[in-house]
């Protein structure tokens, strides 16, 4: 796997994560009635944090590919499943205060991870 493929996957996943996070936060703000000018800076911070998380996830998937190479028949597929499962599990465990909505956002991020990495690498 070339560095270009990894960087392209990082860029695409970072953009998707940022969009999903900002849209989710905007929906929560609209539902609570608290959408005003003071929510812009937290949305920017959220987008940057999620973009960094996407970079970490792609890096971990790349490490998984390196480790699985020679151990399984198709290491890319297993690494994509590992990364998607990691996103789903970490989101479900860390955002318990949001309840079902947090689980939904985590599932959307896991689906985005799977589709972006599959398009980029498989």
């Amino acid at each position: 796997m070339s560095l270009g493929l990894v960087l392209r996957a990082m860029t695409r996943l970072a953009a998707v994560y940022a969009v999903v996070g900002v849209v989710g936060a905007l929906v929560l703000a609209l539902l609570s009635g608290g959408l005003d000018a003071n929510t812009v800076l937290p949305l920017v911070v959220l987008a940057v944090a999620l973009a960094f998380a996407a970079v970490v996830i792609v890096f971990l998937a790349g490490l998984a590919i390196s480790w699985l190479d020679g151990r399984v028949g198709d290491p890319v597929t297993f690494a994509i499943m590992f990364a998607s499962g990691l996103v789903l599990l970490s989101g479900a465990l860390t955002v318990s205060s949001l309840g079902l909505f947090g689980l939904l956002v985590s599932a959307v991020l896991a689906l985005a991870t799977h589709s972006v990495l599959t398009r980029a690498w498989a």
Side-chain angles (χ1 to χ4, degrees), residues 18-75:
V19 168
V20 169
V22 169
V23 167
L26 283 174
V27 166
L28 281 176
L30 285 173
L31 290 176
S32 68
L35 186 62
D36 56 2
N38 293 330
T39 58
V40 174
L41 183 61
L43 288 177
V44 171
V45 171
L46 176 68
V48 170
L50 285 172
F52 179 73
V55 169
V56 170
I57 289 296
V58 173
F59 179 74
L60 288 175
L63 284 178
I65 290 172
S66 298
W67 186 76
L68 289 170
D69 194 26
R71 290 183 167 92
V72 295
D74 189 12

Side-chain angles (χ1 to χ4, degrees), residues 60-112:
L60 288 175
L63 284 178
I65 290 172
S66 298
W67 186 76
L68 289 170
D69 194 26
R71 290 183 167 92
V72 295
D74 189 12
V76 174
T77 303
F78 281 101
I80 291 171
M81 290 189 298
F82 167 75
S84 301
L86 183 67
V87 169
L88 182 61
L89 183 64
S90 65
L93 292 176
T94 58
V95 196
S96 61
S97 63
L98 292 177
L100 189 59
F101 187 74
L103 189 60
L104 176 67
V105 170
S106 176
V108 169
L109 288 176
L111 180 64

